[in-house]
Amino acid sequence: MANSTMVTEFLLLGSPDGWKLSFLYFMVLLLTYLSTLLGNLLIIIVTSADQNLHTPMYFFLRNLSILDMCFISITVPNACVNSLTGNRAISVAGCATQIFLVIFCACVELLFLSIMAWDRYVAICQPLQYLLIMNPQFCVRMTLASLLSGLVYAGVHTGNTFQLSFCQSNLVHQFFCDVPSLLRLSCSDTTINKVLILVSAVVLCGGVFIFIAMSYICIFSTVLKSPNRAPGKAFSTCTPHILVVSVFLSSVTGVYLRPSANSDTLQDLILSAFYTMVPPFLNPLIYSLRNKQVKEAVRKIMGRQFLSEK
């Protein structure tokens, strides 16, 4: 990273003042993190162990759970440690790594959610061709394409951010390093960076939104036109996915597209928590508690475990 930065480290936003508030902040982060790990780990184990769940839908759900475990692990453990130790410093290299990984996971999460919407579209609108279209080769290729796209997307934004000079305050008004917070600290001209963020966010987030919206319009149209299909079942399958996508897209666009002049630290914290913590936390609850196949698989595995202990 060849730049003229005068800042050797950044200071992340600390926990609230006072021991009680600091401890509460720590416990909320820790419980959210542990719940997210356990929920996603349960989905990974269940979808891997049960042969009935070796389908394209659960292949992508398993990938999403692995990604979510990584996503929340980038920011929350560090925030927990910082709240206990009071050490808020993070090196420039550490900050760059965190930004790269957060953007990578966010981009791949959006692409995975898009693929899952396509999977539901094919399953409901073209059921006879489902196994032909959603074949194993296609699933693996789409996964690899999503990961590669995430690497390129994250690399461009991280490299573009750390070409800037940081010679003003080193206090990042966020519990992790993110691009909008660093742009406010730069003493360089950030116009190109802001334009790149705007264009890429509109293309990626807008493209994902349009693709998923069109998929569900076709799904709902097909279900309502077919007298043999149960609308309630289709809606119960698709609604959770729409909820996760809505939360994720609205919070991401709120953080990255809001003008700096209108920036508010509390709002930034809440929006950032929504896109880095809420979707990974919600996904296991939505896809396990509302899914009969997953619940049945959990019962089978728990039953086997109980019998083996006898």
Side-chain angles (χ1 to χ4, degrees):
M1 284 177 276
N3 55 34
S4 57
T5 180
M6 296 170 61
V7 173
T8 58
E9 65 178 16
F10 294 102
L11 294 178
L12 300 174
L13 203 63
S15 56
D17 293 332
W19 184 85
K20 290 183 179 179
L21 284 176
S22 181
F23 182 73
L24 179 63
Y25 175 80
F26 167 76
M27 289 304 298
V28 168
L29 288 178
L30 181 63
L31 290 175
T32 302
Y33 179 63
L34 293 178
S35 301
T36 301
L37 289 187
L38 288 173
N40 283 291
L41 187 60
L42 177 64
I43 285 183
I44 293 168
I45 292 172
V46 168
T47 55
S48 300
D50 194 319
Q51 293 292 327
N52 294 324
L53 300 183
H54 289 185
T55 63
M57 174 183 173
Y58 294 104
F59 170 80
F60 288 113
L61 180 56
R62 183 163 56 250
N63 288 343
L64 184 66
S65 293
I66 295 170
L67 179 70
D68 283 338
M69 291 175 69
C70 297
F71 197 1
I72 199 168
S73 296
I74 297 166
T75 58
V76 175
N78 186 60
C80 288
V81 172
N82 290 349
S83 67
L84 285 181
T85 63
N87 180 21
R88 301 181 292 140
I90 183 170
S91 66
V92 173
C95 192
T97 301
Q98 200 170 55
I99 284 180
F100 177 86
L101 292 175
V102 165
I103 295 176
F104 168 76
C105 288
C107 177
V108 177
E109 175 114 1
L110 283 173
L111 295 176
F112 277 176
L113 291 171
S114 300
I115 298 169
M116 291 172 74
W118 170 255
D119 174 82
R120 292 298 83 206
Y121 163 77
V122 176
I124 294 173
C125 300
Q126 303 181 46
L128 298 179
Q129 296 181 303
Y130 180 74
L131 293 178
L132 181 63
I133 295 173
M134 302 298 296
N135 58 72
Q137 293 81 8
F138 174 82
C139 294
V140 172
R141 286 171 187 164
M142 292 305 295
T143 300
L144 293 176
S146 298
L147 295 175
L148 181 60
S149 299
L151 288 173
V152 173
Y153 190 83
V156 169
H157 283 287
T158 305
N160 216 37
T161 300
F162 283 89
Q163 287 178 356
L164 301 172
S165 296
F166 302 98
C167 53
Q168 300 183 37
S169 170
N170 67 339
L171 178 60
V172 179
H173 292 279
Q174 192 56 267
F175 67 94
F176 65 95
C177 285
D178 69 343
V179 173
S181 297
L182 290 190
L183 292 185
R184 297 182 197 114
L185 303 181
S186 176
C187 51
S188 303
D189 183 8
T190 59
T191 304
I192 295 177
N193 299 73
K194 291 175 181 177
V195 170
L196 179 63
I197 289 174
L198 176 63
V199 172
S200 58
V202 168
V203 171
L204 178 62
C205 296
V208 166
F209 175 78
I210 293 171
F211 181 83
I212 292 177
M214 293 301 295
S215 298
Y216 282 117
I217 288 172
C218 293
I219 288 171
F220 294 150
S221 176
T222 301
V223 170
L224 293 173
K225 287 179 181 177
S226 177
N228 298 325
R229 295 180 184 271
K233 183 178 179 181
F235 292 159
S236 66
T237 302
C238 300
T239 302
H241 188 236
I242 295 172
L243 175 64
V244 173
V245 172
S246 301
V247 170
F248 195 75
L249 281 177
S250 59
S251 54
V252 166
T253 53
V255 169
Y256 283 88
L257 297 186
R258 199 147 53 99
S260 299
N262 299 334
S263 177
D264 178 82
T265 300
L266 181 59
Q267 287 183 348
D268 286 346
L269 281 171
I270 293 172
L271 289 172
S272 297
F274 261 90
Y275 87 84
T276 57
M277 294 170 61
V278 173
F281 176 77
L282 282 182
N283 281 337
L285 296 175
I286 287 173
Y287 289 111
S288 60
L289 295 179
R290 294 181 61 91
N291 192 301
K292 291 182 180 179
Q293 286 181 289
V294 173
K295 287 191 284 188
E296 185 62 31
V298 171
R299 290 193 196 101
K300 286 181 183 177
I301 293 173
M302 295 298 290
R304 286 181 204 152
Q305 183 66 25
F306 178 74
L307 291 173
S308 64
E309 290 176 356
K310 280 191 171 184

